[in-house]
């Protein structure tokens, strides 16, 4: 009788593991293949060879790129080179990417930038917020951008127990931000277990010098985050649930869910067109190819444009798709004056004139 019970329990366990494995493949869109949707007037950006995971553009056309991300389980084309921040002036006739110098005293050797966000203060000071993973830990770095010197002055490193697995960030003050945790745990094995079991413990945290608090939770894997031009709504991409959540910002900085937009792809970082409020999304058509890298079947890229997200029927347009022959693993897309930038997790970046 005892052996029968043990055998039954083993069978139930194996069945559960098999069901979770199939569910994970579905969440990763592991069987999806795409046909390319090309854009004219595009070229790869010289100098970006190992990823531009996130991009943020100032109103004056200066675009910041976080480059060289290393992440457990992800391929890297430059595993021994630290990451950095690059900049491109989109108002130039032929814009070029250049690497910004970082102030003395900051540990550049372990710089591993992920999501980024800019904030312009009332005195026109520009702050750059960077999610950093030195030695695969989690910090948020705040820099002051010094345009005349093309440099970043490091101001502050932020660590907090409510920021165990930070992915992306949106600055809402000179030392204030919302951040996504793509996992509840910081330990790599527990992260994997959390993802495999689909625990939906990922969350969003609000940080200020006076208060740090959890403001939204229940995500499969909270990823990109941004805010509407009128600062009333916060958008969160849940990459493995293929969703964008629209959250209403309250006077106390808490977030309440307003609606969820379902999409058929893995949504990564979100960028906002300040003039229209349109959301531009870098997406992964097949997430499994990101983690099981095969140069003969590389990860594909996809860019979506979402218009009128607050309406009953938002418009979702596929702007660009590539099967990996040009661009692998698109993680962000942003628009400025009919110029489109598309960054990737660990490969190249694309510049297009629309």
């Amino acid at each position: 009788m005892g052996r029968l019970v043990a055998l039954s329990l083993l069978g139930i366990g194996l069945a559960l593991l098999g069901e979770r494995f199939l569910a994970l493949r579905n969440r990763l869109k592991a069987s999806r293949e795409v046909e390319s949707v090309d854009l004219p007037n595009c070229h790869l950006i010289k100098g970006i060879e190992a990823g531009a995971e996130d991009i943020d553009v100032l109103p004056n056309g200066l675009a910041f790129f976080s480059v060289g991300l290393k992440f457990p389980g992800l391929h890297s084309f430059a595993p021994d080179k630290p990451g950095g921040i690059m900049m491109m002036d989109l108002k130039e006739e032929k814009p070029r990417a250049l690497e910004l110098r970082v102030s003395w005293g900051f540990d550049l050797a372990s710089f591993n930038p992920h999501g980024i966000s800019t904030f312009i203060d009332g005195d026109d000071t520009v702050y750059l917020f960077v999610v950093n993973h030195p030695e695969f830990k989690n910090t948020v770095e705040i820099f002051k951008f010094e345009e005349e010197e093309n440099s970043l002055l490091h101001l502050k490193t932020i660590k907090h127990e409510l920021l165990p697995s930070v992915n992306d960030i949106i600055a809402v003050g000179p030392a204030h931000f919302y951040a996504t945790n793509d996992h509840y745990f910081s330990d790599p094995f527990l992260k994997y277990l959390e993802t495999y079991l689909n625990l939906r413990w990922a969350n969003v945290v609000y940080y200020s010098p006076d208060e740090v608090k959890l403001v939204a939770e229940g995500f499969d894997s909270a990823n990109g985050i941004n805010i509407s031009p009128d600062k009333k709504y916060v958008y969160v991409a849940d990459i493995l649930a293929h969703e964008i959540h629209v959250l209403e910002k309250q006077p106390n900085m808490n977030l309440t869910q307003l609606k969820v937009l379902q999409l058929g792809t893995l949504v990564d970082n979100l960028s906002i067109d300040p003039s229209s409020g349109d959301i531009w999304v870098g997406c992964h058509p097949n997430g499994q190819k990101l983690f099981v890298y095969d140069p003969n079947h590389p990860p594909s890229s996809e860019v979506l444009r979402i218009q009128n997200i607050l309406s009953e029927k938002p418009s979702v347009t596929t702007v660009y798709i590539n099967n990996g022959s040009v661009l692998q693993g698109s993680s962000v897309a942003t628009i400025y004056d009919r110029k489109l930038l598309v960054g990737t997790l660990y490969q190249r970046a694309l510049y297009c004139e629309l």
Side-chain angles (χ1 to χ4, degrees):
M1 188 68 175
R3 291 181 180 180
L4 182 61
V5 171
L7 190 61
S8 298
L9 291 174
L10 178 62
I12 292 171
L14 291 174
L16 176 62
L17 289 174
E19 186 275 332
R20 289 293 83 193
F21 176 73
L22 292 175
L24 179 59
R25 280 183 54 83
N26 183 57
R27 287 152 65 209
L28 289 170
K29 296 284 183 181
S31 301
R32 187 182 177 200
E33 299 293 339
V34 295
E35 294 185 6
S36 292
V37 175
D38 294 322
L39 285 172
N41 307 316
C42 293
H43 66 265
L44 295 170
I45 299 173
K46 186 177 180 180
I48 297 179
E49 312 288 341
E53 199 279 337
D54 202 7
I55 304 170
D56 200 15
V57 184
L58 294 176
N60 64 2
L62 293 180
F64 297 89
F65 301 74
S66 67
V67 299
L69 175 67
K70 284 91 178 165
F71 213 68
L74 285 182
H75 182 72
S76 175
F77 286 103
D80 299 322
K81 182 180 178 182
I85 303 295
M86 300 190 78
M87 187 184 73
M88 176 182 280
D89 188 348
L90 298 179
K91 287 190 172 180
E92 292 182 352
E93 184 176 347
K94 294 183 178 181
R96 300 172 298 110
L98 59 91
E99 187 162 2
L100 295 179
R101 294 184 296 106
V102 180
S103 60
W104 183 85
F106 179 75
D107 184 8
L108 280 173
S110 65
F111 195 25
N112 192 11
H114 198 166
I116 61 174
S117 179
T118 55
F119 180 81
I120 304 175
D121 212 348
D123 60 359
D124 293 330
T125 300
V126 176
Y127 297 95
L128 178 68
F129 292 64
V130 181
V131 175
N132 187 21
H133 303 294
E135 300 175 346
F136 302 123
K137 295 181 175 66
N138 292 269
T139 67
V140 173
E141 313 292 347
I142 302 179
F143 299 91
K144 177 184 175 183
F145 173 53
E146 299 182 320
E147 185 173 354
E148 292 183 1
E149 291 81 23
N150 284 332
S151 66
L152 297 170
L153 175 64
H154 184 249
L155 302 178
K156 188 176 184 180
T157 295
I158 295 170
K159 301 177 185 178
H160 197 275
E161 60 183 8
L162 289 181
L163 300 170
S165 185
V166 193
N167 187 298
D168 197 19
I169 189 169
I170 180 67
V172 292
H176 312 66
F177 57 84
Y178 291 102
T180 56
N181 284 303
D182 51 26
H183 292 82
Y184 178 83
F185 296 108
S186 57
D187 177 80
F189 175 75
L190 292 177
K191 281 185 177 185
Y192 176 79
L193 196 63
E194 182 184 343
T195 299
Y196 194 84
L197 297 176
N198 192 14
L199 296 179
R200 300 190 71 89
W201 288 353
N203 55 54
V204 178
V205 169
Y206 171 72
Y207 178 94
S208 77
D210 302 318
E211 182 181 31
V212 185
K213 59 183 177 179
L214 187 68
V215 292
E217 57 186 333
F219 301 97
D220 189 342
S221 183
N223 198 291
I225 187 169
N226 218 311
I227 195 166
S228 61
D230 61 11
K231 312 302 180 187
K232 292 181 179 180
Y233 305 98
V234 171
Y235 308 124
V236 176
D238 192 335
I239 187 169
L240 290 178
H242 322 133
E243 298 170 343
I244 295 177
H245 293 246
V246 180
L247 307 166
E248 189 170 10
K249 183 165 70 70
Q250 304 301 320
N252 63 358
M253 306 306 287
N254 286 342
L255 301 175
T256 55
Q257 183 154 290
L258 191 64
K259 65 181 296 185
V260 179
L261 179 64
Q262 296 280 347
L263 298 164
T265 189
L266 281 73
V267 288
D268 203 321
N269 288 315
L270 310 174
S271 299
I272 310 299
D273 184 339
S275 60
S276 65
D278 295 351
I279 304 173
W280 290 75
V281 193
C283 306
H284 307 288
N286 184 325
Q288 180 168 291
K289 290 185 177 183
L290 294 174
F291 298 98
V292 185
Y293 185 79
D294 180 352
N296 297 314
H297 301 281
S300 44
S301 293
E302 184 175 19
V303 173
L304 300 181
R305 179 188 184 187
I306 301 168
Q307 297 170 281
N308 303 313
I309 194 169
L310 296 175
S311 68
E312 290 187 7
K313 293 185 177 181
S315 172
V316 180
T317 305
T318 301
V319 177
Y320 176 79
I321 297 181
N322 183 261
N323 62 8
S325 59
V326 175
L327 202 67
Q328 303 178 12
S330 57
S331 55
V332 62
T334 190
I335 194 83
Y336 178 84
D337 191 26
R338 299 196 59 78
K339 298 177 178 69
L340 175 67
L341 300 173
V342 186
T344 66
L345 278 174
Y346 44 65
Q347 193 229 10
R348 307 293 300 278
L350 195 68
Y351 171 92
C352 301
E353 294 185 359
L354 302 180

